[in-house]
Amino acid sequence: MKIAFVSSEVEPYAKTGGLADVAGSLPIALEKLGCEVKVFMPKYFQINEDKYELHFSWDIGEMLIGVAGHTRSAHLHQATLPNSNVQINFIDCPHYYHRGHIYTNDRDEDERFILLCKGVIETLQRMKWVPDIIHCNDWQTGLLLLFIKDNYGWDRMFDKTAFLFTIHNIGYQGRFPKDTMFKAELKGDYFYPGGPVELDGTVCFMKAGILFSEIISTVSKTYANEIITPEYGAGMNNVLLTRKNDLYGIINGVDYSIWNPETDKLIPFRYSSNYLTGKLKNKKFLLEHANLPFDENVPLIGIVSRMVTQKGFDIFADAIGNLVNLPAQWAILGSGEDRFEDLFLNMTHHLPGKVFTYIGYNNELAHLIEAASDILLMPSRYEPCGLNQIYSLKYGTVPIVRKTGGLADTVHDWHEYLGNGEETGTGFSFNDYSSYALYTTVERAMRTFYDKETWRKIQRNGMAKNYSWDKSAKEYIELYKKAIEKRR
Ligand code: ADP
Ligand code: GLC
């Protein structure tokens, strides 16, 4: 099976969140199952050409692409995803991609991803490589299918190609003012009330992706059920309801060659479920480097997250007066909205000896916090899948999560499962999106922490879990087959 996989971020080249982890690892898992996969992404200025051995593709040459009434010149660079034979194709257009950040608030943000979509189509044409599936991810790729049907409708090469559109986060839909339609240079009229790219008077890239794909998926079963409700649908629930029979949830896998405490090269001390002393050494290392006192009986609670409303930091802020009185230490890594960054910086300032905060992006520190912490906190308002809680299970770092989306599907509450007579819990969770539920759950976890035997059991239950791609990649292949069948 030939698969073109399109994503606006791919690990290790450019990453702001979990989409990059998925785009950097699922294609490799698919290749291992016998698929031929080519990945496509923009060639951002930030990508290190030498380090990742990018080479210019003379075969493809110059591509002239119409966007917003201009003809833009684009080229292709190629490389191979590390530890695989998967080809990665970088669409190069300095006018759009040489910016300070991967995503921007610039007025031509829509144009940047219109160019990506058209660039992928032009590249496939020049390669003469006909994919069985084009797997699009998130709003940045939402118009690709429409371009194939409209601007490139003359080219029969895609006649048998089927489309899968994966929603990684319904909170980001690619909504723009009406003049985006002009910028896209589509021939047909798709923008009218209720039309395929119209949502509440805006142009919506994600809506097109949802409506034109054979199959739609999202990154956990619970989230697939949630996004068709008004509470979680972010205005897209009615659109999704029209495609309910074609909507599936597949939990993300993780790459254990990168996230495994037994082999992780980014942490100072490696360990396993039989050697948890190594984990304690990482805790000591982190605390010493953060100039915080080390006491093995004081739990260290880690947070590694984009600091945005999605992640539940408003209930955290409401609970903070109580949380800081608990005998715990905190290791916090992330960046995002000022109000949350300030909250954590203030917490550090006012609680000497208790809190370490790093505002910014730091992959090595993300690994160290996973390894060093006793607990990982993810109180998300919504969470399509979430990867950090899955990493933390493997690192013996007991997750406390709100029971939503992928968090509900991957973390089993210790006490809830005890109620079934089973000692199979892997963490702690709460239902209500409230500061009270958050606080009492942290407190409940802390009480359990002092019962060393039970805590070890919870850690080992989590460490024994396997969320590698093996199973989920097979589920994707089944979806691809369904999409191909539908197309025919
Ligand atoms: P989301 O994609 O919504 O941000 P996920 O849990 O799926 O949430 O994925 C987040 C990914 O980004 C994880 O790999 C996590 O380690 C990483 N990450 C988040 N914030 C930072 C940061 N400040 N520094 C380094 N890595 C981060
Ligand atoms: C999104 C979601 C996150 C998910 C990731 C990868 O960024 O917020 O929950 O794990 O995509 O699918």
Side-chain angles (χ1 to χ4, degrees):
M1 194 184 290
K2 290 182 182 162
I3 303 151
F5 191 97
V6 191
S7 171
S8 57
E9 48 182 275
V10 181
E11 168 81 357
Y13 311 102
K15 166 168 168 176
T16 68
L19 170 60
D21 300 51
V22 173
S25 54
L26 170 57
I28 297 176
L30 290 167
E31 187 196 47
K32 285 194 184 128
L33 292 172
C35 301
E36 189 185 341
V37 194
K38 294 187 195 293
V39 181
F40 294 82
M41 71 177 290
K43 184 174 175 293
Y44 301 111
F45 180 60
Q46 292 81 353
I47 296 171
N48 186 328
E49 285 185 31
D50 294 335
K51 183 171 171 194
Y52 297 119
E53 299 179 357
L54 268 62
H55 59 267
F56 183 85
S57 168
W58 292 99
D59 292 348
I60 300 296
E62 184 179 36
M63 297 182 276
L64 296 172
I65 299 176
V67 183
H70 296 276
T71 302
R72 301 290 177 198
S73 168
H75 292 92
L76 191 77
H77 290 246
Q78 293 175 316
T80 307
L81 273 179
N83 306 318
S84 78
N85 294 312
V86 175
Q87 182 188 69
I88 168 131
N89 296 274
F90 300 90
I91 309 292
D92 185 21
C93 181
H95 174 77
Y96 287 127
Y97 301 137
H98 285 203
R99 310 255 167 117
H101 295 278
I102 297 176
Y103 305 122
T104 75
N105 289 319
D106 299 345
R107 285 177 56 181
D108 60 357
E109 188 70 354
D110 48 356
E111 294 173 37
R112 299 176 74 226
F113 295 104
I114 288 170
L115 185 115
L116 172 67
C117 293
K118 291 186 177 177
V120 171
I121 300 169
E122 297 271 344
T123 305
L124 289 171
Q125 286 177 320
R126 284 170 175 73
M127 286 175 166
K128 299 190 174 50
W129 189 77
V130 184
D132 298 300
I133 286 283
I134 299 185
H135 185 163
C136 288
N137 295 278
D138 274 353
W139 73 261
Q140 292 85 356
T141 61
L143 290 190
L144 199 150
L145 294 73
L146 187 52
F147 289 138
I148 286 194
K149 287 179 201 300
D150 183 284
N151 307 50
Y152 297 87
W154 55 269
D155 191 344
R156 318 306 308 193
M157 85 173 251
F158 299 109
D159 277 3
K160 288 191 175 148
T161 300
F163 298 93
L164 174 71
F165 185 76
T166 299
I167 299 166
H168 293 263
N169 194 330
I170 202 95
Y172 302 86
Q173 300 175 352
R175 310 262 292 248
F176 298 99
K178 196 177 162 212
D179 71 341
T180 296
M181 285 318 285
F182 148 76
K183 295 175 172 184
E185 300 184 359
L186 286 154
K187 287 196 221 111
D189 179 17
Y190 305 91
F191 186 82
Y192 50 87
V197 296
E198 191 272 351
L199 198 63
D200 300 329
T202 64
V203 175
C204 179
F205 285 27
M206 184 178 267
K207 184 175 178 185
I210 291 170
L211 291 184
F212 289 107
S213 305
E214 270 72 32
I215 301 279
I216 305 116
S217 76
T218 185
V219 286
S220 68
K221 290 205 168 33
T222 296
Y223 194 60
N225 291 325
E226 285 174 342
I227 53 180
I228 51 175
T229 67
E231 189 186 350
Y232 288 96
M236 197 65 86
N237 42 302
N238 287 330
V239 176
L240 281 165
L241 274 176
T242 67
R243 301 295 319 269
K244 194 169 172 261
N245 294 334
D246 299 315
L247 174 64
Y248 295 84
I250 300 181
I251 196 82
N252 286 332
V254 302
D255 186 344
Y256 286 128
S257 71
I258 299 176
W259 291 97
N260 180 351
E262 292 184 41
T263 51
D264 191 336
K265 293 194 181 65
L266 297 177
I267 58 175
F269 303 99
R270 279 170 276 286
Y271 61 95
S272 66
S273 60
N274 294 324
Y275 175 61
L276 285 166
T277 315
K279 180 167 177 60
L280 206 60
K281 288 184 181 171
N282 286 296
K283 176 172 173 180
K284 197 160 182 240
F285 178 90
L286 186 149
L287 290 171
E288 272 171 12
H289 280 76
N291 277 326
L292 300 182
F294 166 75
D295 178 345
E296 95 174 76
N297 294 316
V298 174
L300 178 65
I301 306 181
I303 293 179
V304 178
S305 184
R306 289 184 295 117
M307 291 181 177
V308 294
T309 316
Q310 173 196 343
K311 300 296 179 178
F313 294 128
D314 46 359
I315 55 170
F316 183 90
D318 291 343
I320 203 160
N322 290 324
L323 288 174
V324 297
N325 287 328
L326 293 170
Q329 289 173 307
W330 299 80
I332 296 154
L333 165 66
S335 66
E337 291 174 33
D338 291 346
R339 60 186 174 128
F340 297 131
E341 293 185 358
D342 291 346
L343 175 84
F344 291 118
L345 289 172
N346 279 333
M347 198 173 150
T348 317
H349 184 70
H350 290 294
L351 295 168
K354 281 186 99 167
V355 189
F356 163 71
T357 299
Y358 181 105
I359 300 295
Y361 186 86
N362 186 327
N363 186 40
E364 203 168 329
L365 187 56
H367 282 251
L368 179 60
I369 292 181
E370 284 288 3
S373 305
D374 297 293
I375 291 170
L376 182 99
L377 180 61
M378 282 181 82
S380 305
R381 179 188 285 270
Y382 72 92
E383 196 62 71
C385 176
L387 295 172
N388 277 313
Q389 84 283 7
I390 303 181
Y391 300 148
S392 80
L393 289 172
K394 194 44 96 200
Y395 281 72
T397 306
V398 176
I400 299 180
V401 303
R402 173 152 179 268
K403 217 172 183 179
T404 181
L407 298 174
D409 294 358
T410 54
V411 176
H412 302 144
D413 186 276
W414 173 254
H415 292 109
E416 198 180 314
Y417 275 70
L418 267 186
N420 302 337
E422 295 174 20
E423 291 198 333
T424 53
T426 54
F428 298 87
S429 56
F430 57 98
N431 270 310
D432 284 358
Y433 188 70
S434 72
S435 55
Y436 178 77
L438 164 62
Y439 171 71
T440 48
T441 309
V442 174
E443 208 215 338
R444 181 160 63 89
M446 282 188 52
R447 264 187 277 123
T448 315
F449 174 80
Y450 300 117
D451 172 358
K452 285 290 167 236
E453 204 176 309
T454 300
W455 195 257
R456 291 272 176 277
K457 175 89 192 140
I458 302 173
Q459 284 181 301
R460 292 204 168 104
N461 284 351
M463 293 175 95
K465 290 278 171 207
N466 182 355
Y467 286 98
S468 68
W469 273 111
D470 301 352
K471 185 161 170 281
S472 294
K474 282 186 190 137
E475 289 183 40
Y476 272 105
I477 291 180
E478 288 311 307
L479 276 199
Y480 295 152
K481 285 185 187 157
K482 273 201 177 81
I484 292 167
E485 221 165 83
K486 272 199 91 176
R487 179 78 170 149
R488 289 181 183 158

